[in-house]
Amino acid sequence: MILSYSLTRRNAVVVLMIASCLYVLFTIVTYDIEHFLPMVASFRPARYPLSTGSHFKETSRRIDFGLVMDIPATSIVAHAPGWTLFRNLYMSNGTIFLVYSETKPESFPAPRMMISTSLPAFNTPENIAQREPTKEVMDFISSEDARRRWGGDHVNGERNRIWSIEGITLLVNDPPQFLDHYYHFVGEFLLGTWAFMYGAFNPSTGMATSDDWLSAYEGNASFNYYSDIYQPPPFARVSFMHAPAGSWRDKPGLNSFILRAVFPSTAIEMAEDWADRVIATAPPAPPSSDLVQHSRNLVADSNKAWHFPLVLLTDRSAAHRGEACGQRTQRIAAEAWEYMVRQNGIDLIGRWWQIIRETVWRFSGVVFSDNDDLNVSDSSQNLPLPEKIVITYISRQTVRRHLIQADHDALSDALRDLIARKRDAGKSWELNIVEPEMLSKDEQISLISKTTILLGVHGNGLTHAIFMKPTRLSAVLEIFYPGGFARDYEWTTRSLGIRHFSIWNDTYFTHPNEPMLGYPEGFHGTSIPVHGRTVAHLIEDWLEGTLSQDHA
Ligand SMILES: *[C@@H]1O[C@H](CO)[C@@H](O)[C@H](O)[C@H]1NC(C)=O
Ligand SMILES: *[C@@H]1O[C@H](CO)[C@@H](O)[C@H](O)[C@H]1NC(C)=O
Ligand SMILES: *[C@@H]1O[C@H](CO)[C@@H](O)[C@H](O)[C@H]1NC(C)=O
């Protein structure tokens, strides 16, 4: 009786599995031909994949893993230090599990290049050692082992004790240390995330498959603007696994402004929410009496796991273990960017950032032509010229790090003189000397969207450079205390195809002639010198194309 019942069940499972394989195969084949290929050429997310009236129904692509014997193995779509896009990643009791089907593939990157213990980073040997990941942070298990832990008793009708978190998830394994800062959050973390996603899903790299698109995409009727240009699928959620609620907000509120503008549908989960998921999959406390112990193995019976069909895991400490970030740029985004440039997934002139840049402009009320596609080859020499020259000097005189007041005054005068001379020569150049904190966010973005030259003292005020329009003449001029240099804005603007000049009072330099990193006494002070006429001449020479060759 019991035997025949279980045989029937088993037969039913086999039939179901064959049927779903056929269905999946059919779906992928027809999907590929009728939907995927044309979409690559002209990608319109709004119509994808919910085309009604055809054979293709949303539910038909659902794959039920509830009764599978083989827990789907983890694979990697793309990886650079600190940035890893996985298929089929698992979490149980706070540990990230990579499941392998036969033997553990040697091709998995070392865990330390993907993850850390998510402690705040300090440059001491103890702290560096404490951030090395343990098996409690990330572990590898066989598909068989996974089934022993989380598999259901199929014969008795129990489904696998694994719950999928559908859509693409962005897992951020960092402490709050660098999150509540506009530059680190938007200029580094968001920029790197986009470079990585843009490249990984870009058909030119061949990394993501049409199946990945299927499991990623959730389409709905929407008021949002959909561009015809290619973009990767959206995140369903971002999880700041180790940052308590609110800890990703910067004081001026730019982090949330930008994140909500570019990903309006992305749900945000914080450490408290991650803890919910950890606790829900924690094994029960051992039974107190051995009376119950013989009846069932509580630990094995109750083990549960979460499944991420598609997930980008980011980790700041792991990125710093990479050569590009750790030894050359100190930018976590550089690991994502350099990898995707090598894979031909992103370009060198900020075309890959265009959709983010323009989404933020649009959100801020900037009106511009949709046909402004950067239809040029990968050289900034081929970018269009700006319609109008706009010079924006971000004054920091009212905040902590700033110029000697007399030098600020002389710089402002030299810039006004430059505009007057150009007016006499029949050119209408525009000058804005602004304290950003006096402008609304919309006004700040609107100003930056038309800025050709952005000038200011090293500091967070220069982060807005990432929303400048790349033109042949776009440039950022960053004033350092003489002898001081940091890569924050230098690397970041260059990664978007924008020229960067560092200024030391009456001298300046540009890539590839930048000096060593340095934070001399005075770097963060309130007496930074600058020779205004040197700056005005540099701007004029750069814009007029008369910069001497060793600097151009
Ligand atoms: C669950 O996680 C806790 C905290 O990391 C750990 O002490 C415990 O050993 C874990 N239990 C199992 C069964 O892995
Ligand atoms: C891009 O430029 C090329 C050559 O200048 C032109 O043939 C092509 O039609 C342009 N493409 C678009 C989409 O404008
Ligand atoms: C800055 O440059 C000017 C012009 O060369 C010079 O007169 C001044 O002494 C310099 N200031 C510092 C602090 O070096």
Side-chain angles (χ1 to χ4, degrees), residues 201-222:
F201 280 89
N202 192 339
S204 69
T205 63
M207 288 173 172
T209 63
S210 54
D211 239 13
D212 294 324
W213 282 95
L214 278 174
S215 66
Y217 208 82
E218 293 177 339
N220 280 304
S222 159

Side-chain angles (χ1 to χ4, degrees), residues 182 254 257-258 357 359-366 439-451 464 467-468:
Y182 178 43
L254 286 159
F257 180 83
I258 301 295
R357 178 170 57 232
T359 299
V360 171
W361 291 355
R362 219 174 257 116
F363 192 74
S364 294
V366 178
L439 302 177
S440 72
K441 295 183 186 66
D442 283 350
E443 286 168 334
Q444 293 174 38
I445 297 295
S446 166
L447 175 61
I448 211 72
S449 73
K450 61 175 185 172
T451 293
H464 279 335
F467 298 118
M468 283 169 74

Side-chain angles (χ1 to χ4, degrees), residues 92-95 97 136 149 278 281-283 299 303:
S92 182
N93 189 33
T95 303
F97 286 100
E136 272 178 14
R149 296 179 192 216
V278 172
T281 52
V299 173
N303 250 341

Side-chain angles (χ1 to χ4, degrees), residues 276-426:
D276 286 345
R277 298 191 188 276
V278 172
I279 291 165
T281 52
S288 52
S289 144
D290 49 11
L291 274 180
V292 289
Q293 212 156 14
H294 71 277
S295 61
R296 51 193 288 236
N297 182 343
L298 263 180
V299 173
D301 276 2
S302 313
N303 250 341
K304 302 185 182 76
W306 299 104
H307 164 241
F308 296 92
L310 212 46
V311 56
L312 174 61
L313 172 69
T314 73
D315 187 292
R316 172 169 282 274
S317 292
H320 274 271
R321 294 177 187 131
E323 188 269 337
C325 174
Q327 286 167 42
R328 275 187 288 117
T329 68
Q330 300 76 46
R331 304 299 107 214
I332 59 169
E335 289 293 344
W337 186 89
E338 290 195 9
Y339 178 71
M340 286 304 171
V341 166
R342 282 200 303 277
Q343 298 295 318
N344 200 24
I346 60 175
D347 57 87
L348 295 171
I349 55 168
R351 201 190 276 122
W352 58 275
W353 185 247
Q354 179 179 356
I355 192 102
I356 299 278
R357 178 170 57 232
E358 293 184 354
T359 299
V360 171
W361 291 355
R362 219 174 257 116
F363 192 74
S364 294
V366 178
V367 176
F368 57 97
S369 157
D370 272 353
N371 303 321
D372 247 6
D373 222 351
L374 295 176
N375 180 22
V376 286
S377 72
D378 254 17
S379 158
S380 50
Q381 288 316 302
N382 297 323
L383 286 168
L385 286 166
E387 279 152 37
K388 183 174 198 247
I389 299 290
V390 177
I391 300 167
T392 300
Y393 165 36
I394 296 188
S395 162
R396 306 265 298 178
Q397 293 311 100
T398 55
V399 293
R400 11 168 229 171
R401 188 187 303 120
H402 63 243
L403 296 178
I404 297 167
Q405 186 59 33
D407 286 15
H408 161 81
D409 295 338
L411 173 61
S412 305
D413 287 345
L415 294 171
R416 287 191 198 99
D417 281 355
L418 171 64
I419 301 300
R421 273 193 285 117
K422 291 298 151 183
R423 194 184 310 119
D424 293 346

Side-chain angles (χ1 to χ4, degrees), residues 75-81 83-87 109 114 196-197 199-201 205 207-208 212 311-313 339-340 343:
S75 61
I76 288 180
V77 181
H79 164 76
W83 304 89
T84 314
L85 181 59
F86 297 92
R87 303 180 187 95
M114 302 190 273
F196 203 77
M197 291 299 283
F201 280 89
T205 63
M207 288 173 172
D212 294 324
V311 56
L312 174 61
L313 172 69
Y339 178 71
M340 286 304 171
Q343 298 295 318

Side-chain angles (χ1 to χ4, degrees), residues 13-35:
V13 169
V14 169
V15 168
L16 196 73
M17 280 170 64
I18 293 172
S20 31
C21 286
L22 286 176
Y23 216 136
V24 169
L25 200 65
F26 171 77
T27 309
I28 290 169
V29 169
T30 52
Y31 180 79
D32 242 0
I33 293 164
E34 295 178 20
H35 297 263

